[in-house]
Amino acid sequence: MAAIDETFFLDGPPCVVIDRVKMTYKVESSDERSGAARGLKGRLRKALGRPSRVTVTALKELSLVVERGESVGIIGRNGSGKSTMMKLISGQTAPTEGGVYASSTPILLGVNAALVPELSGDQNVVLGCLAMGMSMEQIDEQFDSIVELSGLESAIYLPMKSYSSGMASRLRFAIAAAVNPEILLVDEALNTGDAQFSSRSKARMDELRAQAGCVFIVSHSLETIRDMCTRVIWLDKGELIMDGSPEETTDRYRDFSAHLSKGNNISATRIKDDARANLVATQVLERTSGRRMQGR
């Protein structure tokens, strides 16, 4: 069982509070061994050609408090619940149980962010900024800095469909960061392999955090997470395994992944179980004068 730390009080309101959130989905299953496929109802469904539906847990119950100035990395294997958590924080999806509270509207930057491939980069800058509520005057003021951050230079005037995936990702990040969001969510958009862009994007996120905001980053690149985050959480199969410093958390996860890749499942499980056993859980307690936080 995870340990519970002593109660403490925040100096000011946090940016994001995730309070006992859980996320489940109903999906179709052709597995006749599932409970939904057995019994009289299951046989009737099969006879009528209706697929059985089973409940899948994408995110097990967890609570987190993210304070102003934090940059939180989220790591884990595919299917661990990383993108689900980002969708819950951004408000794209409502949790099955619990609640997510934010001090302002989070801006989600994903690699699939909708821009128009047939239009040039500069035209997409205008469309993207307008969609985030910026005026044309603000866009004019920010345009040069957006192009500089993206690193596209003269390519900004070429059709976006001619861009590599890295170029498109850099443009999406530069657009999203232009609005000075208090809460920025970055989902796999920084893995471009461009060292100069990594340096510029880290500097930009440092600016955002200095403005009393916070940043969430999902990435398979542990180097990106270590360089850009002040705190890292490790998810596995929808469960919170670890919440700690970038160095310690990424080292544990790297060891876990290395043992898995070699087929050492018992050793990998032991590493994960040890990390989970040392987790300091968070509890969100209501009171009349505000929120009281336990744990991290």
Side-chain angles (χ1 to χ4, degrees):
M1 178 179 294
I4 301 294
D5 200 357
E6 63 184 66
T7 301
F8 67 91
F9 298 90
L10 297 175
D11 293 332
C15 276
V16 175
V17 173
I18 300 174
D19 185 11
R20 290 165 289 185
V21 159
K22 182 178 179 181
M23 192 69 205
T24 60
Y25 297 99
K26 288 282 188 179
V27 297
E28 295 180 356
S29 173
S30 60
D31 187 356
E32 295 186 357
R33 297 171 298 176
S34 66
R38 294 198 296 267
L40 178 59
K41 288 185 178 181
R43 289 192 289 272
L44 285 174
R45 284 180 175 273
K46 187 174 181 180
L48 294 172
R50 297 176 181 171
S52 300
R53 296 177 67 82
V54 297
T55 300
V56 174
T57 301
L59 207 60
K60 297 180 182 179
E61 183 178 306
L62 63 84
S63 296
L64 292 172
V65 176
V66 178
E67 300 183 50
R68 299 175 185 278
E70 288 196 286
S71 179
V72 182
I74 305 175
I75 60 175
R77 296 182 286 177
N78 289 335
S80 62
K82 303 186 300 295
S83 293
T84 296
M85 177 175 285
M86 295 289 264
K87 290 178 181 177
L88 292 174
I89 297 171
S90 68
Q92 288 187 348
T93 303
T96 307
E97 298 178 16
V100 179
Y101 308 93
S103 56
S104 63
T105 302
I107 291 182
L108 174 62
L109 168 66
V111 292
N112 295 318
L115 295 178
V116 183
E118 288 74 24
L119 297 180
S120 62
D122 64 310
Q123 291 171 320
N124 273 298
V125 168
V126 174
L127 288 178
C129 290
L130 287 173
M132 293 188 299
M134 295 175 65
S135 66
M136 287 301 301
E137 182 179 357
Q138 289 173 322
I139 296 171
D140 287 339
E141 293 175 353
Q142 294 275 6
F143 183 81
D144 289 342
S145 62
I146 293 172
V147 176
E148 181 181 1
L149 178 56
S150 72
L152 293 177
E153 300 178 342
S154 61
I156 195 70
Y157 301 106
L158 299 178
M160 193 171 170
K161 63 183 179 182
S162 68
Y163 291 179
S164 66
S165 60
M167 293 168 68
S169 294
R170 297 201 303 268
L171 180 59
R172 293 186 183 101
F173 176 83
I175 293 171
V179 76
N180 292 321
E182 183 182 21
I183 304 171
L184 177 63
L185 313 178
V186 184
D187 193 351
E188 292 292 0
L190 298 178
N191 297 340
T192 66
D194 186 321
Q196 287 186 334
F197 174 70
S198 295
S199 177
R200 290 193 298 267
S201 57
K202 181 181 184 302
R204 180 64 184 123
M205 286 194 290
D206 287 344
E207 290 177 7
L208 293 174
R209 292 192 294 106
Q211 295 167 8
C214 69
V215 179
F216 291 83
I217 305 173
V218 167
S219 178
H220 286 290
S221 170
L222 297 184
E223 289 73 21
T224 297
I225 293 293
R226 288 177 73 118
D227 289 344
M228 298 190 175
C229 298
T230 60
R231 172 184 175 187
V232 177
I233 65 174
W234 169 15
L235 297 175
D236 193 73
K237 296 182 179 179
E239 184 177 9
L240 178 60
I241 304 299
M242 193 169 178
D243 180 356
S245 70
E247 294 77 14
E248 184 180 7
T249 308
T250 55
D251 283 347
R252 286 284 190 94
Y253 178 69
R254 183 179 282 110
D255 289 344
F256 168 78
S257 299
H259 281 286
L260 275 185
S261 66
K262 296 176 182 177
N264 301 331
N265 293 346
I266 294 177
S267 297
T269 299
R270 186 180 298 116
I271 291 171
K272 185 175 74 172
D273 289 344
D274 287 345
R276 181 171 45 202
N278 292 317
L279 175 69
V280 178
T282 298
Q283 289 185 340
V284 180
L285 305 176
E286 297 286 354
R287 61 173 207 168
T288 56
S289 60
R291 289 187 177 275
R292 182 178 60 181
M293 310 301 173
Q294 281 191 332
R296 180 177 172 80

